[in-house]
Amino acid sequence: MKTIIAIAQNLELCPIEKCSPDIQAGIREIRNESSIRKNMYQEKEIRSDEHESWIAHVKSSKSIQFFAVLDVNQKLIGGLSFSNIDMNNRRADWAFYLTSHVQGRGYGKALEFLALEYAFVTLELNKLNCEVIGWNKAVQKLHETFGFQLEGIRRQHVYRNEKYHDTTLLGITANEWEKQKVKWEIS
Ligand SMILES: CC(C)(COP(=O)(O)OP(=O)(O)OC[C@H]1O[C@@H](n2cnc3c(N)ncnc32)[C@H](O)[C@@H]1OP(=O)(O)O)[C@@H](O)C(=O)NCCC(=O)NCCS
């Protein structure tokens, strides 16, 4: 089986504002897939004008970075975001998604590895945080295998399907990642 690092080496992260119009439009299509939007805070389908405004916002913002994820054939397979980037406190939040056609093949782990390396090596953050809606246990487990620690539960934070759901707060420090990453490099 291909290692996570080998898969990661074949992925390219393209800042959304530098991507072709086709790739930019493709991000909206993937983000609107039902298996993805149901796991996001904003579940409704994103219209094309909303998407354009969001890209303009990302372009002008210092606290958001969004990358289109391309496979070895330059095919768009997902998105990776860093938000609330705060260089005074050297921290940020992150999130990711992959089109349903490629899920379950190790790309998620490879992308999580790349996200952690980008956060701690390229951006030189001290802390990376994320939030997972309560039912998304598989993704919580995935984050924990990379060394994310449970930091809290935000109770009844999301109203969906006529019920309130908790969200799980997770975080990892630069020192924790330094110790964790070795296990991925040798596996
Ligand atoms: C999260 C996501 C990027 C993971 O990508 P992926 O390509 O499916 O992940 P991988 O193939 O690398 O699998 C990683 C691990 O997570 C598990 N996993 C991930 N998503 C899962 C799901 N929905 N159900 C069950 N297991 C899941 C896999 O079984 C695997 O665990 P294992 O190694 O113990 O078998 C992808 O499932 C996705 O886009 N989900 C919808 C959006 C989302 O929930 N994003 C996270 C919140 S921001």
Side-chain angles (χ1 to χ4, degrees):
M1 200 186 117
K2 260 189 160 179
T3 66
I4 294 309
I5 305 285
I7 301 172
Q9 280 166 345
N10 282 325
L11 295 179
E12 186 184 324
L13 301 180
C14 174
I16 184 113
E17 64 278 10
K18 295 196 178 141
C19 294
S20 68
D22 280 357
I23 298 276
Q24 290 182 347
I27 283 290
R28 182 173 78 96
E29 279 170 32
I30 294 179
R31 176 62 177 71
N32 277 341
E33 287 178 19
S34 63
S35 71
I36 292 176
R37 44 191 185 84
K38 77 169 188 215
N39 288 310
M40 299 288 150
Y41 280 154
Q42 176 161 292
E43 191 192 18
K44 76 169 185 71
E45 285 198 42
I46 294 164
R47 296 189 316 263
S48 111
D49 61 310
E50 292 171 323
H51 190 60
E52 298 289 320
S53 312
W54 170 74
I55 292 172
H57 175 60
V58 172
K59 200 172 175 177
S60 67
S61 170
K62 283 196 165 54
S63 63
I64 304 176
Q65 293 188 22
F66 187 94
F67 297 94
V69 182
L70 309 178
D71 73 5
V72 70
N73 301 311
Q74 296 285 296
K75 196 171 166 342
L76 175 68
I77 59 167
L80 166 66
S81 79
F82 296 91
S83 57
N84 295 319
I85 301 170
D86 174 345
M87 291 316 286
N88 290 326
N89 295 296
R90 308 199 88 79
R91 64 167 188 246
D93 299 334
W94 81 290
F96 67 156
Y97 51 80
L98 289 166
T99 180
S100 56
H101 316 297
V102 304
Q103 286 178 19
R105 292 200 234 154
Y107 285 113
K109 281 186 188 154
L111 188 52
E112 183 139 359
F113 182 89
L114 285 181
L116 284 155
E117 284 290 274
Y118 184 77
F120 293 123
V121 180
T122 308
L123 292 181
E124 299 182 343
L125 298 179
N126 175 58
K127 180 81 192 298
L128 189 63
N129 299 312
C130 59
E131 298 186 15
V132 180
I133 305 179
W135 62 71
N136 207 351
K137 295 287 176 218
V139 170
Q140 179 181 341
K141 193 172 145 241
L142 174 62
H143 292 329
E144 286 170 343
T145 60
F146 277 85
F148 278 85
Q149 308 253 344
L150 180 63
E151 297 188 336
I153 305 291
R154 200 176 286 278
R155 295 174 309 133
Q156 301 191 17
H157 193 56
V158 173
Y159 184 69
R160 202 67 63 78
N161 302 326
E162 296 171 21
K163 267 173 70 180
Y164 288 100
H165 300 268
D166 297 346
T167 60
T168 305
L169 309 180
L170 298 154
I172 185 170
T173 65
N175 282 341
E176 286 161 355
W177 175 238
E178 199 56 39
K179 289 183 197 128
Q180 282 284 327
K181 69 189 261 190
V182 184
K183 95 176 184 201
W184 297 100
E185 285 166 341
I186 55 171
S187 65

